[in-house]
Amino acid sequence: MNPHTLLPEPPPMVALEPPEDPRRDRSGRARCSGQPLGLYIHIPFCLERCPYCDFNTYAGLDHLFEPYVDALVAELQGWAQALGHPRVDTVFLGGGTPTVLPSRLLARILESVAQAYRLEPGCEITSEANPGTGDRPRFAALRSLGINRLSMGAQSFQAHELRFLGRGHGPEDVVRAFRAARAAGFENINLDFIFGLPEQAPEDWADTLDQALALAPEHLSLYSLMVEPHTPLFHWVQRGRVSPPDDDRAAWLYEMALDRLEGAGYIQYEISNWARTHQAQGDPAAQPTYACRHNLHYWRNEEYLGVGAGACGHLCRGAPPLAWRPEALHGIRWENHRPVAGYIRRIQDRGHAVRTQDPISPAMAMAESMMLGLRLVREGVSRERFARRHSRGLDQVYGAPIAELEQEGLVEWVGDCLRLTRRGLLLGNRVAMAFLPD
Amino acid sequence: MDLNHIRNICIIAHIDHGKSTLADRLLQITGTVTEREMKEQLLDSMELEREKGVTIKASAVRMIHRWQGEEYAIHLIDTPGHVDFTYEVRRALQACEGAILVVDATQGIQAQTMAHLFAALEQDLVILPVINKIDLPAAMPDDVAQEIEELLGVPGEEIPRISAKTGHNVEQVLERVIQEVPPPQGRPDAPLQALVFDCQYDPYKGVIAYVRVFNGRVQGTPRMQAMGTGREMEPLEVGVLTPAMVPTHRLGTGEVGYIATGLKTVQDLDVGDTITLAENPAPEPLPGYEPMKPMVFAGLYPSNPDDYEDLRDALEKLQLNDAALVYEPEVSQALGYGFRLGFLGLFHMEIVQERLEREYGLDVIFTAPSVAYRVIRTDGTELLIRSPAELPEPTQIDHIQEPWCRVHIFTPAEYIGPIMDLVTKRRGEVKNQNWLDSKRVELVYEMPLAEILVDFYNELKARTRGYASMDYELSGYRPSDLVKLDILVNGQPVDALSVIVHRQDAYRKGQKLVSRMKEIIPRQLFEVPIQAAIGNKVISRANVKALRKDVLAKCYGGDVTRKRKLLERQKAGKKRMKMVGSVEIPQEAFMSVLRLGDED
């Protein structure tokens, strides 16, 4: 296929002495390791909007399912062409609720991924799913498409909390959906929960955790409720209809979860994420076998593609339609146009929907490595990885802020790795800020 | 122009009663300014003035009007409309023989109307009352006429009822000016005596003195002298204001115009001073001159210490146009290098603050305003302090005196109770109560100046639904039981938060300040005690709990740029705070001393 049918007029590329291979710096060292990419595919549709959610998703756009998938396929093919059919080791269908799409449309998406990209053996393919809408045949259909990991937005096991969160499902639906997914052959399942709801009772949270652990999912994500601007929840809080989440209470609930999950054999590998291990329980060297490999790409400041309305990507190389600018030598982050119809039209008209491009300077790339890497509470940021990625020493660049944070008890060195202390877990912003340029 | 064809007038009015609109109309009718040139409220040239609806700096304009076949030069001198500028108002009135008293037909006489009216009567001005805004549905011209008649003895039916907005009856006002305001007196052959009633800085011509020639005349640009300060000057030009400066090479007796003095800063020439000729000086200056006396002081610091030089430059520039503003360097342990500023009053301070932020784009911190206290030491010597930091050790103090003022409040009678309550809470003493008519009353109090500095006017307005108006004048110093209230953050006194308060208020204010600080100071990585203390005695205490949680729940691929920007903003906000010891204090904390209201 001629790439120009997809990307008719790439913006002019301005290059200042472009390196031979943009993945390598002038001394020939690889910037990003040339490792396989993560691939994120955004499905911006939901049956209904939840009042706390600020994701780019819409209810009532069923008539756009078909043209949207057409556009996705075109965008997927366009990037594949532009990047020379790169290797991909994780695919993540996020949303929105990907499972609102009929199976044949999901199949079209995944088939075009398999055609245009070189999927690595054992590639992790995740789909988000809603406990309210899944039964066993449906999950079996997903499984047969090659999806091997499910992430379910359970959110709570308390009926009144689910009502407050505007979820269409009840506690029993979570159990039912989970069992249906297991029966359909899913051996890697994540459950999402939200804590720190206004006035949330600790015993309710404890009960939610207990019920979650009873299901023994491979992975758990526990998110402190954030009041995001432009959401109904935000307006409720502003008008005093709902009391704002209390940070002290949330901190307490979080620490409660830390203890319970550790006791149940889950390994916390990120601020809000826990995974089970294959190794024996209590083994100090145990690795979080079921950590989400797709998300690890993000936190390790690696390359990923984002396709779909409002999706974001990060590449360390230039590729149309991204303008390769001298200041972007250390990478570009971009975001696609967010509204669905506009996204489709842009893909149809010019083959891409890139709305903003954010060139990453060397200083910014290092700051991002810290901001993201320190979220990985076990592996942290290692001197070795930092030096390989940025060609500079971690101590040389950030010696002073690290010393200060150590003194405040927020970070610690464990061998070659800098990571958050238990206290630092709850003060991650303080830590991340210290590395951002003034 | 001979004296008989000159009239010097001003317009006096309460804020918003239509002074500027009437001035605009007069300029239009006399053809001084064409429709096309007419900007709204032409005389209020500064943007800030237009926004606040008040005149800060006086200016003057010459209008030529034909009446009964003869040409008259009518000089209209604009007066500042606020209590802080009483001295400037008086000098402007001194330059006139008559005053148009504008009263709003919907509101009647207000406190500043009275204050300015009494000032005008003191100068023996002929008062021409007019009732404005008769086009408004709420106008009660007959009631207002009755009020004026009782006050001035002018028959109510003879008072012109005008609408400055529509121009209705405004021409009549000009005729009354020519008929009723006497022409200036003065001896053309006597030595020059020109009253400086305002001065401004012009970037091309230096300091411009706005003058009224009482005796003698100016011909060409001979060497001159300011009699009060003795400073000599070599003027560049003289002329009249139309309102643009038009050089005329001469200014005759009785005329109003300008002298481009050749001076470089407005501090070199005081309003109220008399300019005479260096060669043939007048034997004595015109009466009424007083050097500027700032009454209110506050510390001013750049939010970012790197902006210190910029702040100094900005103050220098501001001072070019604001002779009442004084400043000197000051150092605070908490805020670093800054300045101590002196103002005529709280309103003046607000204007300076806004101009610094608006015109110079500077992010600044003002500390709580303070009055000038007089400290009598045990050895009998006296010390004038303008900042709590200057207060000597308690053992060296015999007693402290603070400035008091006489406050006049005009209000509908139903608000007497709430006003009384407000005033007594602020240590006020009732002096008098004069009924203007059956519904409105003038209340006279004596109060410490410090008590009206902070939020008194807003509180008064709030308690009277905006109906009350006030004016004040200083009435002298009185001994007072005052103490210095210190605020300690994390065990360290923060000098910029100290205030001098009356002993009986110390406990209440200390508690309030502590709880305010507790709200404002963000949680830090450790617990921060906040204390209020008098000397070594802690009178109130609260703790800011340690920060427990500050972390983003989610940060995934779609979020990186957005979350990074969020953290960048958070970091910038943190940077704007002041580090006192190891505690970050937001700038608003330093202003919060200003908002220690009377309630709760």
Side-chain angles (χ1 to χ4, degrees):
Chain A
M1 182 190 283
N2 180 354
H4 293 284
T5 58
L6 285 164
L7 302 166
E9 276 178 282
M13 309 230 288
V14 187
L16 179 81
E17 297 176 46
E20 295 292 295
D21 177 350
R23 278 166 295 182
R24 298 183 184 282
D25 66 17
R26 289 206 177 88
S27 56
R29 207 179 334 218
R31 285 181 200 291
C32 284
S33 49
Q35 294 293 316
L37 300 176
L39 175 59
Y40 177 80
I41 300 168
H42 191 68
I43 310 297
F45 306 115
C46 280
L47 288 179
E48 52 188 347
R49 294 297 316 267
C50 301
Y52 57 87
C53 171
D54 71 335
F55 290 164
N56 185 42
T57 182
Y58 308 84
L61 292 186
D62 305 25
H63 60 288
L64 291 178
F65 286 177
E66 199 89 38
Y68 183 75
V69 170
D70 290 342
L72 271 185
V73 168
E75 196 192 10
L76 280 164
Q77 291 174 343
W79 281 116
Q81 295 277 351
L83 296 168
H85 304 282
R87 292 192 293 148
V88 161
D89 64 354
T90 66
V91 179
F92 197 103
L93 287 160
T97 313
T99 51
V100 301
L101 290 184
S103 298
R104 76 182 161 81
L105 290 181
L106 288 173
R108 269 196 69 204
I109 296 168
L110 290 169
E111 277 159 18
S112 75
V113 169
Q115 270 171 18
Y117 296 84
R118 285 181 284 152
L119 292 184
E120 294 285 296
C123 180
E124 175 191 275
I125 302 178
T126 306
S127 174
E128 292 183 337
N130 187 331
T133 53
D135 52 16
R136 184 171 164 179
R138 176 70 170 138
F139 286 128
L142 297 178
R143 188 71 193 82
S144 70
L145 295 176
I147 294 170
N148 52 25
R149 184 173 181 272
L150 269 191
S151 177
M152 272 195 240
Q155 316 310 8
S156 170
F157 275 110
Q158 313 305 314
H160 67 280
E161 291 181 359
L162 288 169
R163 273 196 302 278
F164 171 79
L165 293 169
R167 303 294 297 190
H169 66 267
E172 63 290 347
D173 293 323
V174 178
V175 178
R176 192 165 354 106
F178 186 86
R179 293 195 175 133
R182 275 279 191 255
F186 278 101
E187 291 169 352
N188 188 354
I189 304 178
N190 166 58
L191 295 179
D192 278 353
F193 290 94
I194 297 178
F195 66 94
L197 278 61
E199 319 295 340
Q200 184 174 27
E203 49 276 22
D204 285 348
W205 177 233
D207 180 66
T208 290
L209 289 173
D210 288 345
Q211 293 202 47
L213 293 172
L215 293 176
E218 283 66 36
H219 191 283
L220 283 164
S221 297
L222 311 182
Y223 299 116
S224 171
L225 179 66
M226 295 274 161
V227 179
E228 303 288 355
H230 315 298
T231 60
L233 178 63
F234 183 84
H235 293 287
W236 296 345
V237 170
Q238 289 251 302
R239 294 198 202 108
R241 277 178 54 195
V242 168
S243 51
D246 172 6
D247 280 348
D248 287 345
R249 181 188 297 259
W252 183 35
L253 299 176
Y254 181 74
E255 289 184 333
M256 202 164 118
L258 288 181
D259 295 338
R260 285 197 183 227
L261 268 56
E262 193 183 348
Y266 285 81
I267 295 176
Q268 184 186 21
Y269 69 100
E270 198 260 357
I271 285 173
S272 304
N273 288 282
W274 286 258
R276 277 195 2 220
T277 176
H278 277 324
Q279 278 112 319
Q281 201 176 334
D283 178 354
Q287 292 304 309
T289 320
Y290 288 101
C292 175
R293 281 156 45 203
H294 180 79
N295 290 339
L296 287 174
H297 278 306
Y298 301 146
W299 296 317
R300 288 174 179 158
N301 202 7
E302 293 170 348
E303 293 181 300
Y304 56 91
L305 273 175
V307 298
C312 296
H314 173 226
L315 285 178
C316 299
R317 59 189 104 173
L322 304 176
W324 193 251
R325 301 193 207 102
E327 71 268 25
L329 280 179
H330 283 251
I332 296 183
R333 292 188 184 276
W334 75 93
E335 182 176 10
N336 275 350
H337 195 74
R338 288 166 71 93
V340 177
Y343 164 79
I344 296 172
R345 200 169 52 245
R346 279 168 177 76
I347 294 291
Q348 287 169 347
D349 292 351
R350 21 179 167 124
H352 73 87
V354 173
R355 188 180 66 97
T356 57
Q357 295 186 47
D358 194 15
I360 308 295
S361 66
M364 197 58 83
M366 291 190 287
E368 287 183 349
S369 281
M370 303 307 288
M371 169 182 123
L372 297 165
L374 286 170
R375 291 191 68 93
L376 292 171
V377 298
R378 274 172 64 90
E379 70 176 52
V381 178
S382 78
R383 289 190 171 102
E384 185 267 329
R385 184 190 281 273
F386 188 91
R388 188 149 39 83
R389 174 78 161 80
H390 301 289
S391 313
R392 300 200 43 199
L394 182 52
D395 303 86
Q396 173 203 351
V397 181
Y398 290 126
I402 289 172
E404 200 172 318
L405 292 167
E406 261 190 294
Q407 199 166 11
E408 291 170 339
L410 301 180
V411 298
E412 62 188 355
W413 286 104
V414 177
D416 190 43
C417 293
L418 185 72
R419 57 185 214 188
L420 295 176
T421 60
R422 176 149 170 151
R423 180 159 188 245
L425 282 183
L426 278 163
L427 296 167
N429 288 359
R430 291 288 166 136
V431 176
M433 260 189 276
F435 299 103
L436 290 172
D438 283 329
Chain B
M1 187 160 277
D2 75 289
L3 290 175
N4 283 328
H5 289 82
I6 298 174
R7 300 290 183 273
N8 295 320
I9 58 160
C10 58
I11 305 175
I12 56 185
H14 187 72
I15 292 174
D16 286 342
H17 279 198
K19 184 180 72 170
S20 299
T21 318
L22 178 58
D24 287 353
R25 227 39 78 226
L26 293 174
L27 294 179
Q28 261 178 325
I29 289 173
T30 55
T32 311
V33 175
T34 64
E35 292 278 352
R36 200 169 51 78
E37 293 165 330
M38 176 64 70
K39 282 186 288 174
E40 274 293 303
Q41 302 197 357
L42 186 85
L43 292 184
D44 295 352
S45 55
M46 280 197 282
E47 185 192 350
L48 198 60
E49 290 180 21
R50 211 164 302 142
E51 235 168 67
K52 291 217 159 191
V54 294
T55 315
I56 301 158
K57 295 291 290 182
S59 46
V61 62
R62 163 186 287 223
M63 304 182 287
I64 303 295
H65 191 59
R66 285 191 76 82
W67 185 67
Q68 297 191 341
E70 294 182 52
E71 266 191 2
Y72 291 83
I74 301 174
H75 298 114
L76 174 62
I77 295 171
D78 200 14
T79 54
H82 198 273
V83 289
D84 287 350
F85 301 90
T86 311
Y87 174 76
E88 292 186 330
V89 172
R90 279 168 207 245
R91 298 290 74 78
L93 295 176
Q94 196 182 345
C96 304
E97 277 75 36
I100 302 172
L101 173 72
V102 181
V103 183
D104 187 320
T106 67
Q107 293 186 14
I109 292 169
Q110 300 286 316
Q112 278 148 48
T113 326
M114 294 294 284
H116 293 179
L117 175 63
F118 288 134
L121 290 172
E122 254 173 53
Q123 304 279 348
D124 286 329
L125 300 199
V126 168
I127 309 291
L128 275 177
V130 302
I131 298 170
N132 190 22
K133 303 196 188 177
I134 57 154
D135 55 311
L136 294 184
M140 309 169 297
D142 294 335
D143 294 5
V144 173
Q146 186 65 29
E147 260 187 19
I148 298 173
E149 181 174 334
E150 277 167 31
L151 191 68
L152 287 174
V154 181
E157 63 275 11
E158 287 179 18
I159 301 170
R161 288 147 162 82
I162 68 164
S163 165
K165 199 170 113 202
T166 65
H168 178 76
N169 266 347
V170 173
E171 182 126 17
Q172 192 197 338
V173 175
L174 278 173
E175 286 166 19
R176 298 280 286 266
V177 165
I178 293 168
Q179 284 175 291
E180 295 177 28
V181 174
Q185 313 272 303
R187 286 167 294 121
D189 44 2
L192 176 69
Q193 280 178 309
L195 172 75
V196 179
F197 61 84
D198 191 12
C199 64
Q200 285 187 23
Y201 177 79
D202 179 283
Y204 302 103
K205 296 177 183 171
V207 176
I208 308 292
Y210 290 60
V211 297
R212 152 76 196 269
V213 180
F214 275 83
N215 288 305
R217 67 186 132 209
V218 180
Q219 192 81 46
T221 52
R223 273 196 314 126
M224 298 184 191
Q225 189 190 24
M227 300 185 75
T229 58
R231 188 177 284 273
E232 291 220 352
M233 50 194 112
E234 312 233 355
L236 308 174
E237 62 181 52
V238 299
V240 295
L241 300 142
T242 70
M245 289 188 277
V246 178
T248 53
H249 311 295
R250 64 180 301 282
L251 273 182
T253 314
E255 284 191 289
V256 170
Y258 71 90
I259 298 173
T261 60
L263 297 173
K264 293 286 175 274
T265 80
V266 282
Q267 276 61 46
D268 294 336
L269 186 65
D270 291 342
V271 168
D273 206 344
T274 302
I275 292 179
T276 190
L277 296 182
E279 292 304 318
N280 178 21
E284 58 186 22
L286 296 160
Y289 169 68
E290 288 169 36
M292 283 290 176
K293 255 201 327 249
M295 286 312 304
V296 176
F297 299 87
L300 172 70
Y301 294 84
S303 298
N304 178 352
D306 300 342
D307 291 343
Y308 179 79
E309 293 298 325
D310 290 346
L311 182 57
R312 190 170 61 194
D313 291 349
L315 283 172
E316 272 170 18
K317 276 192 205 136
L318 260 186
Q319 210 183 33
L320 288 175
N321 248 321
D322 186 348
L325 173 68
V326 297
Y327 64 89
E328 56 187 49
E330 182 181 72
V331 185
S332 153
Q333 284 170 307
L335 301 175
Y337 288 93
F339 300 92
R340 190 95 195 143
L341 271 60
F343 310 96
L344 295 175
L346 198 65
F347 182 75
H348 184 208
M349 172 167 127
E350 258 177 47
I351 289 172
V352 169
Q353 187 174 349
E354 281 200 40
R355 288 188 66 188
L356 281 172
E357 282 170 7
R358 188 183 303 207
E359 293 171 31
Y360 299 94
L362 286 171
D363 204 356
V364 293
I365 299 172
F366 268 92
T367 62
S370 164
V371 297
Y373 293 98
R374 203 182 262 169
V375 179
I376 314 298
R377 291 203 193 88
T378 43
D379 64 4
T381 55
E382 202 183 295
L383 176 73
L384 203 64
I385 65 156
R386 299 144 312 146
S387 146
E390 292 173 347
L391 200 67
E393 285 297 302
T395 51
Q396 295 177 22
I397 301 174
D398 182 75
H399 71 278
I400 308 175
Q401 298 179 350
E402 67 175 326
W404 280 61
C405 51
R406 182 167 279 250
V407 181
H408 303 260
I409 297 173
F410 283 66
T411 178
E414 65 255 43
Y415 301 117
I416 293 178
I419 293 174
M420 201 67 108
D421 177 59
L422 171 66
V423 168
T424 45
K425 269 189 179 148
R426 305 234 182 179
R427 298 190 278 140
E429 299 167 358
V430 184
K431 285 292 159 192
N432 217 336
Q433 188 164 321
N434 305 315
W435 289 85
L436 299 171
D437 54 40
S438 60
K439 292 184 208 122
R440 297 195 341 121
V441 67
E442 179 197 18
L443 305 169
V444 185
Y445 300 101
E446 287 270 332
M447 284 176 75
L449 176 62
E451 297 285 346
I452 64 166
L453 275 193
V454 176
D455 225 22
F456 180 77
Y457 188 63
N458 290 341
E459 186 69 21
L460 177 70
K461 285 285 180 192
R463 287 174 179 233
T464 60
R465 298 172 58 206
Y467 280 111
S469 59
M470 69 167 271
D471 195 7
Y472 70 88
E473 73 224 11
L474 290 173
S475 56
Y477 274 82
R478 288 200 206 175
S480 192
D481 190 7
L482 299 169
V483 291
K484 186 169 145 217
L485 181 65
D486 291 317
I487 300 295
L488 289 77
V489 174
N490 207 21
Q492 279 195 31
V494 182
D495 56 2
L497 289 175
S498 293
V499 278
I500 292 175
V501 297
H502 196 262
R503 192 182 297 275
Q504 72 186 30
D505 293 335
Y507 186 73
R508 184 178 61 84
K509 288 193 173 167
Q511 267 190 326
K512 240 188 138 163
L513 260 176
V514 164
S515 56
R516 191 63 55 86
M517 288 301 139
K518 190 186 164 199
E519 282 164 34
I520 292 175
I521 295 179
R523 295 168 69 174
Q524 323 266 322
L525 292 177
F526 44 88
E527 184 172 84
V528 177
I530 298 168
Q531 298 157 298
I534 299 170
N536 291 327
K537 191 172 151 228
V538 173
I539 58 168
S540 180
R541 179 190 164 107
N543 286 332
V544 177
K545 284 192 288 178
L547 178 69
R548 284 281 282 122
K549 176 170 174 285
D550 179 16
V551 64
L552 297 166
K554 293 186 180 187
C555 185
Y556 292 103
D559 275 341
V560 177
T561 304
R562 209 165 289 128
K563 295 280 154 77
R564 192 192 76 221
K565 286 182 177 159
L566 199 81
L567 290 173
E568 280 167 352
R569 274 199 299 280
Q570 197 180 343
K571 182 169 190 171
K574 215 166 110 75
K575 254 196 97 182
R576 273 199 304 277
M577 291 194 228
K578 285 285 170 187
M579 286 297 284
V580 176
S582 51
V583 180
E584 290 160 345
I585 302 183
Q587 301 178 11
E588 56 179 310
F590 300 97
M591 288 300 279
S592 69
V593 191
L594 279 173
R595 290 177 200 99
L596 290 178
D598 303 272
E599 303 312 317
D600 61 87

